[in-house]
């Protein structure tokens, strides 16, 4: 027996054998009896170990139940925590992206509301144009109505420029334009604005508009130097091929370029709508009549109408005098048609020819005379007609104006509406091909939205400019061109409707993205919940189980702690 421990051995009457761990076990009557220790209470140690484990599990259950989370630290489930955090990042980012989308929808609603009021303004402008299209009103009446038009234009611009989402980014101004003066981009913006206004005038006064399918190229070159041909249209029967501009003439050396562009647009529209061959005097005379050419005629007539008309040649358009004679013939024909009861004058003949008549058959149908008869009349009566014309007033003699139709005075400045165009396709009756021009108008302002949680998940939407100039309203002039202004406002209303339709489509697209983001947040939250959140049914069941085990463990541990007391009874 050692001095540091007390060992009590029960020896069998038969034998004693060593145990596998080196200790002795006594066998008595076939029974296997364990040794009794005082210093080391193995049963208590085991009981304490199990009780510590069950207490740790209970603490985990308490933590999970009180926090609602299955994973409260990395030790609980490191892999699960990483996945749950990644999902939480996606949820937070997607929620912010949804708010971004809501901001975008709000911006579009502001833009749509502004365009609604601009629609009302345009309707009022059209109402004034209709009112001023009667020739029973005085020039003073027309000038007063034009003052209201100018105020309405300013109001439309103010509304478009102030439409923003509480910041410094206007929604309806269109893209920033900083064209260098007389650059190709600047020239095209000016010319397409003239073309848009001219198309409206042609539609109003001749009843013709392109079929909307014909495409022609916009070309610019140094054609023949400054002071010569400014622009020309190349076409075949029923097909306009191109419009070519001479950049040398856009440096300010030639005035009234808008009238030249309108002249060429008449050729384009007539070439598209009228397939029959037409004499030179008719094509050039009607192209001059659209805006008036009294100023040219004054120079060419030189005080001698008879001398001018002595050179009448229906098939010639070689010089300015030929253009003046053609203009006189067109004015005479317009008057004859009105006198025959065709209130639209030249418009009635144009529409008849667009339906398939030749000039000759159209004249016979409307006036009961042949083309040759009318041309003879021009030769015989052209000089006296010139003498009856008022070439001293400010009116240029254009169709729908004072001298031709007893409407408002239309001078050189007012002959064509003055407006730039930044639209890629500004015309109703033609499509423009910009591929050879090296330039393409930028008509829309683009806004970027972060619509997803990740870096590459952006969406953009574009809004066309809604200012008066970008809508085409800047050219409305009910004082000088009331009937043309009706067509201009009609085109502007069409532009407004297209803008609002695009806004509505974009809002629907953003609302779809918003719904998708909402569904994504729901599904991602569900996935994160399955990983991280506490299953209360399982957790409470586990807690109850561990509480029972803990109670049992404490009872057994108490008994195990009493085991060494047996040694005392032996010592006594």
């Amino acid at each position: 027996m050692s001095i540091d421990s007390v060992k009590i051995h029960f020896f069998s009457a038969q034998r004693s054998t060593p145990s596998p761990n080196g200790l002795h076990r006594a066998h008595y009557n076939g029974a296997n009896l364990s040794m009794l220790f005082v210093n080391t209470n193995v049963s208590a140690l085991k009981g304490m170990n199990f009780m510590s484990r069950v207490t740790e599990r209970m603490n985990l259950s308490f933590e999970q139940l009180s926090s609602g989370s299955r994973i409260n630290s990395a030790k609980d489930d490191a892999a699960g925590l990483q996945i749950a955090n990644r999902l939480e990042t996606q949820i937070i980012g997607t929620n912010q992206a949804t708010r971004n989308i809501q901001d975008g929808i709000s911006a579009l609603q502001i833009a749509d509301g502004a365009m609604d009021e601009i629609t009302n303004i345009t309707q009022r402008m059209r109402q004034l144009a209709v009112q001023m299209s009667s020739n029973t009103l005085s020039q003073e009446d027309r000038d007063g109505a034009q003052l209201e038009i100018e105020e309405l234009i300013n109001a439309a611009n103010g509304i478009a420029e102030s439409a923003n989402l509480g910041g410094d980014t206007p929604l309806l101004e269109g893209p920033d334009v900083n064209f260098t003066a007389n650059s190709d981009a600047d020239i095209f913006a000016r010319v397409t604005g003239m073309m848009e206004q001219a198309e409206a005038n042609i539609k109003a006064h001749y009843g013709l508009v392109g079929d909307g399918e014909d495409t022609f190229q916009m070309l610019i070159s140094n054609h023949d130097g400054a002071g010569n041909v400014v622009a020309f249209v190349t076409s075949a029967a029923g097909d306009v091929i191109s419009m070519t501009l001479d950049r040398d003439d856009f440096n300010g050396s030639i005035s009234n370029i808008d009238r030249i562009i309108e002249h060429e647009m008449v050729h384009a529209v007539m070439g598209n709508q009228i397939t029959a061959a037409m004499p030179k005097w008719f094509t050039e005379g009607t192209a001059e009549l659209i805006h008036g050419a009294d100023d040219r005629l004054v120079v060419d007539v030189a005080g001698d109408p008879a001398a001018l008309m002595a050179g009448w040649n229906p098939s010639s358009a070689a010089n300015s005098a030929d253009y003046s004679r053609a203009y006189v013939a067109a004015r005479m024909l317009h008057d004859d048609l009105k006198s025959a009861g065709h209130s639209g004058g030249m418009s009635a003949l144009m529409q008849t020819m667009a339906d398939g008549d030749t000039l000759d058959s159209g004249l016979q149908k409307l006036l009961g005379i042949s083309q040759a008869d009318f041309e003879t009349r021009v030769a015989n009566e052209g000089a006296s007609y010139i003498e009856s014309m008022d070439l001293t007033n400010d009116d240029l003699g254009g169709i729908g104006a004072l001298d031709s139709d007893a409407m408002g005075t239309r001078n050189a400045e007012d002959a064509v509406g003055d407006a730039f165009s930044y639209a890629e396709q500004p015309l109703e009756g033609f499509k423009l091909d910009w591929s050879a021009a090296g330039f393409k108008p930028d008509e829309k302002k683009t806004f970027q939205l972060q619509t997803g949680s990740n870096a590459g998940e952006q969406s953009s939407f574009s809004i066309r400019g809604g200012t008066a100039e970008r809508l085409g309203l800047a050219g409305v002039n009910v004082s000088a061109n009331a009937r043309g202004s009706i067509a201009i406002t009609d085109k502007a209303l069409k532009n407004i409707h297209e803008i609002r339709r695009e806004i509505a489509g974009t809002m629907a697209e953003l609302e779809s993205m918003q719904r998708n983001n909402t569904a994504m947040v729901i599904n991602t939250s569900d996935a994160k919940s399955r990983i991280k959140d506490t299953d209360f049914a399982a957790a409470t069941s586990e807690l109850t189980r561990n509480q029972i085990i803990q109670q049992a463990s404490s009872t057994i541990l108490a008994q195990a702690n009493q085991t060494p007391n047996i040694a005392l009874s032996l010592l006594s």
Side-chain angles (χ1 to χ4, degrees), residues 419-433:
F420 278 50
S421 175
Y422 305 99
E424 181 181 346
Q425 299 298 334
L427 303 181
E428 178 183 354
F430 296 95
K431 296 177 181 177
L432 303 185
D433 178 2

Side-chain angles (χ1 to χ4, degrees), residues 157-383:
N157 285 331
I159 291 170
E161 291 165 3
S162 63
N164 63 76
L165 190 62
D168 298 326
T169 305
L171 300 171
L172 293 171
E173 276 193 346
D176 296 331
V177 177
N178 295 305
F179 294 150
T180 303
N182 299 321
S183 64
D184 287 358
D186 178 61
I187 291 170
F188 277 128
R190 289 155 59 191
V191 168
T192 51
M194 298 171 191
M195 292 168 66
E196 187 174 23
Q197 301 293 310
E199 183 185 48
N201 290 338
I202 296 165
K203 182 179 181 180
H205 299 303
Y206 288 164
L208 298 181
V209 66
D211 59 15
E213 299 298 327
D214 198 356
T215 300
F216 65 85
Q217 285 189 318
M218 293 297 296
L219 305 175
I220 189 167
S221 65
N222 300 98
H223 179 64
D224 57 3
N228 295 297
V229 176
V230 176
F232 61 91
V233 167
T234 303
S235 63
D239 179 31
V240 181
I241 299 170
S242 64
M243 176 180 282
T244 302
L245 309 176
D246 188 345
R247 62 168 61 90
D248 293 327
D249 292 313
F250 286 85
N251 57 7
S253 60
I254 294 182
S255 60
N256 303 322
I257 288 179
D258 55 348
R259 292 164 64 185
I260 297 172
I261 298 302
E262 187 169 45
H263 181 111
E264 295 303 318
M265 279 298 295
V266 172
H267 291 329
V269 175
M270 290 175 64
N272 176 266
Q273 290 293 294
I274 300 173
T275 58
M278 294 172 282
K280 283 287 186 180
W281 73 265
F282 185 71
T283 58
E284 300 303 335
T286 52
E288 290 289 279
L289 177 63
I290 193 69
H291 50 68
D294 282 6
D295 50 350
R296 181 201 291 273
L297 181 60
V298 167
V299 174
D300 290 331
V301 77
D304 190 351
L308 176 68
M309 294 310 296
W312 166 249
N313 180 353
S315 301
S316 177
N319 51 48
S320 180
D322 283 336
Y323 277 70
S324 288
R325 286 185 280 264
Y327 165 62
V328 170
R331 279 280 300 269
M332 292 176 66
L333 180 55
H334 180 59
D335 285 350
D336 287 350
L337 288 163
K338 289 194 297 179
S339 298
H342 306 291
S343 60
M346 189 65 75
S347 175
L349 179 60
M350 289 287 188
Q351 292 177 56
T352 298
M353 295 177 68
D355 290 337
D357 277 309
T358 63
L359 176 59
D360 182 70
S361 63
L363 289 174
Q364 292 188 43
K365 182 181 294 185
L366 299 176
L367 296 179
I369 62 174
S370 67
Q371 175 185 330
D373 291 339
F374 179 78
E375 290 169 354
T376 300
R377 178 170 175 266
V378 172
N380 294 333
E381 302 176 18

Side-chain angles (χ1 to χ4, degrees), residues 18-59:
S19 66
N21 58 7
L23 299 177
H24 286 82
R25 291 181 180 274
H27 298 270
Y28 180 73
N29 292 332
N32 189 1
L33 302 176
S34 296
M35 299 177 183
L36 177 65
F37 302 98
V38 173
N39 279 2
T40 303
N41 190 342
V42 176
S43 297
L45 291 175
K46 289 182 178 180
M48 290 177 60
N49 179 45
F50 289 127
M51 188 170 181
S52 176
R53 290 182 185 180
V54 74
T55 302
E56 184 178 348
R57 291 198 301 271
M58 285 180 63
N59 290 337

Side-chain angles (χ1 to χ4, degrees), residues 462-479:
S462 300
I463 304 178
R464 279 195 280 174
T467 61
E469 186 170 54
R470 288 184 176 273
L471 293 173
L473 290 172
V476 173
N477 188 333
V478 298
S479 174

